[in-house]
Amino acid sequence: MNIAIIGAGAGIGLESVNQALEKGHTVTALSTNTNHITDHHNLIKINGSATSSIDLKKAIKNSEAVLITVGTKNKKATTLFSDIARTLINVTDELNSSPPILVITGFGAGESKNYLSFFMRTVISLFLKDQYINKTEMEELITKSSLKWEIIRPGMLTNGSATSFYKVLSELKKGMKVGKISRADVAKFLIDEAENQRFIHQYVALTN
């Protein structure tokens, strides 16, 4: 299938590119820096921004699934995630297209904030508060749109290898535990979900 991966230059996005290609999919990879993405005959690389309508339209046109995996190292207030959401909504309207849109935010965004462990609540409050405020805005924009969305909220990300032993939690429950998960396992879930689409119009949390 044709998979567009937005934010493909590093982290979960890069892992998703590699795993999708290994499974025989055709991938269009959009990133501000595609230098770390190894060339492949089934790969189209686009250097650009997910907040650019022109770049995003080029990336998702004719796609059968879209993975939004953009991250930022900026700890200050940002509108990056909400800007991407608005651009995505406008572009899909212009294309008159409705592929499944799988969006990575993080456990701690939206209603999941109320289910964080004390440790993660402290970490987010001290270092990632502004990011998570804007990730929550991204979620709200996307879930109120006509997109065929799925919100994926991983726990604390690690650089471990793929294990396939991660947990997918589709409900927020008192006492739930969402800990670490490798970027490789998150990527594996994304590619599996692009293929099977089991949780459309749902929020899911991922943990080890």
Side-chain angles (χ1 to χ4, degrees):
M1 65 188 299
N2 296 319
I3 301 176
I5 300 178
I6 313 304
I12 294 168
L14 184 55
E15 286 281 355
S16 297
V17 170
N18 294 335
Q19 291 189 34
L21 291 171
E22 286 174 7
K23 296 189 76 172
H25 298 300
T26 297
V27 175
T28 301
L30 173 65
S31 176
T32 54
N33 184 355
T34 61
N35 293 338
H36 299 297
I37 307 175
T38 304
D39 291 334
H40 190 282
H41 63 277
N42 281 341
L43 173 67
I44 299 169
K45 296 194 287 187
I46 299 174
N47 277 294
S49 171
T51 61
S52 162
S53 295
I54 294 173
D55 295 338
L56 192 59
K57 186 181 293 185
K58 189 186 302 182
I60 71 174
K61 187 177 181 180
N62 300 321
S63 64
E64 297 170 272
V66 178
L67 315 184
I68 307 295
T69 64
V70 177
T72 178
K73 294 181 180 179
N74 182 10
K75 301 297 189 294
K76 297 180 180 179
T78 181
T79 61
L80 174 64
F81 303 105
S82 57
D83 289 345
I84 291 171
R86 291 187 178 93
T87 305
L88 180 66
I89 292 165
N90 291 336
V91 165
T92 53
D93 282 346
E94 290 174 15
L95 291 172
N96 193 25
S97 175
S98 58
I101 310 286
L102 313 183
V103 183
I104 294 289
T105 58
F107 196 77
E111 290 299 313
S112 67
K113 176 182 179 180
N114 300 319
Y115 298 83
L116 287 167
S117 66
F118 174 77
F119 173 74
M120 283 307 303
R121 189 181 302 117
T122 303
V123 169
I124 290 174
S125 177
L126 290 176
F127 304 110
L128 300 169
K129 180 180 178 181
D130 291 326
Q131 273 196 32
Y132 273 75
I133 288 172
N134 198 236
K135 286 181 178 182
T136 295
E137 186 176 353
M138 179 190 210
E139 290 188 359
E140 291 172 350
L141 287 165
I142 287 174
T143 57
K144 290 176 182 177
S145 75
S146 60
L147 295 175
K148 192 178 178 182
W149 57 267
E150 181 176 324
I151 302 296
I152 296 104
R153 297 162 166 167
M156 184 180 292
L157 297 170
T158 74
N159 290 322
S161 57
T163 67
S164 301
F165 297 123
Y166 57 84
K167 298 175 184 176
V168 181
L169 309 176
S170 58
E171 294 182 74
L172 294 172
K173 295 181 179 180
K174 185 177 180 180
M176 68 188 299
K177 295 181 180 179
V178 177
K180 297 179 180 180
I181 185 169
S182 69
R183 291 174 176 86
D185 272 340
V186 176
K188 186 178 188 309
F189 172 82
L190 287 175
I191 303 306
D192 288 346
E193 190 62 17
E195 295 169 339
N196 300 299
Q197 300 167 39
R198 297 164 297 168
F199 298 101
I200 295 299
H201 292 144
Q202 294 185 55
Y203 302 82
V204 296
L206 301 180
T207 186
N208 59 8

